[in-house]
Amino acid sequence: MTTVRCGLIGHPVAHSRSPDIHRAFAAQASIALDYVLIDAEPGEFPDRVREFFADGGRGLNVTLPHKAVAFALAEEAGDEAWQSGVANVLTRLPGGRLRADNTDGIGLVRELTKNLGFDRADRRILIAGAGGVAAGIIPSLLAAKPREIVIANRTPDRAARLVKHFENQRLAAIPLPDLRGSQSFDLVINATSASLEGKRPDLPDDAIGKATLACDLVYADEPTPFMRWATALGARTADGGGMLVEQAAESFLLWHGIRPDTVSILHHFRSRLQSD
Ligand code: NAP
């Protein structure tokens, strides 16, 4: 059996759960996979990518802080990557051309619809954060025609730039303080990295109602500060573990032509998270 070489490139990457997830997918599909971690500082990124693919690598997952450069480096791109200008997957096409994709949005949508039973159509959605992952999920969220998507970020200019980039009437940037007194949202997504510092974005309680689904895109072995806050206000909550597995499954499909069964792998991922 030929071994396929794939990997994750970012800075840092040592903490990543992606190798575990991809190896579990590969075992399920009976594919011999060598999944490597590449820690590359921003200046080294293009050379490390070229080196990986020149050595016969098939695909790379891309994480912080390289998602915009990954998109710029590719010669072809899937729709979500084109629309958002950021890529979390690079694939070597036959003939050697490099293709950029963004599977964060489809990963989140699968988690919302398949795993959490949430329908996005005609709903009010609030995204806290305006970084790479916020940009990546917007095309897939817009595709289901929500009533509106509001972006609120600690640095308001960054949210305003994101809205300008997409030019879509369903999308608006609102400064965090202006959310006070607003009607609660159907879905509140924490797309900030605040949970990694043990904090939560400074959203007002008004954003959350009893029917709100509050999703933190950071995954953890216990509820994050954002999830604890939303739970106390009566919301249903989820962390980013489901999205992580679903976006990985989409990249696995791009590289190997097989979409893994994510239910059993998510179960495996959760038990590894608890036991480590
Ligand atoms: P990024 O480009 O660095 O953006 C970080 C965002 O977090 C910015 O909007 C930043 O606001 C905000 N932020 C950071 N610390 C904050 C704090 N203490 N309070 C409020 N806002 C804060 O990062 P990213 O690529 O968008 O990723 C964000 C998070 O999503 C990461 O932590 C990652 O774990 C998670 N993620 C999860 C998945 C998944 O599959 N589950 C996929 C991708 C990313 P400013 O603009 O004001 O700095």
Side-chain angles (χ1 to χ4, degrees), residues 64 129-133 153-155 158 192-194 196-197 217 240 244:
L64 274 171
V133 76
N153 193 43
R154 181 176 62 180
T155 310
R158 213 170 164 194
T192 76
S193 43
L196 300 178
E197 303 164 23
L217 301 191
L244 183 79

Side-chain angles (χ1 to χ4, degrees), residues 124-173:
R124 297 181 64 241
I125 300 174
L126 171 64
I127 301 177
V133 76
I137 62 177
I138 286 171
S140 304
L141 290 173
L142 281 173
K145 301 205 180 339
R147 196 175 324 155
E148 64 172 341
I149 301 179
V150 170
I151 305 174
N153 193 43
R154 181 176 62 180
T155 310
D157 283 1
R158 213 170 164 194
R161 277 204 300 277
L162 208 51
V163 168
K164 194 157 178 259
H165 170 86
F166 282 100
E167 285 185 338
N168 188 299
Q169 59 182 17
R170 295 177 199 272
L171 205 57

Side-chain angles (χ1 to χ4, degrees), residues 6 22 41 47 64 70 73 118-119 125 139 141 148 193 197 205 244 264 272:
C6 297
H22 278 272
E41 293 199 22
D47 283 347
L64 274 171
L73 206 64
F118 182 88
D119 175 11
I125 300 174
L141 290 173
E148 64 172 341
S193 43
E197 303 164 23
D205 292 358
L244 183 79
S264 60
R272 284 293 298 264

Side-chain angles (χ1 to χ4, degrees), residues 42-61:
E44 310 175 302
F45 178 77
D47 283 347
R48 300 295 296 276
V49 167
R50 284 188 198 103
E51 209 174 272
F52 174 84
F53 288 110
D55 284 351
R58 182 174 297 176
L60 281 175
N61 290 122

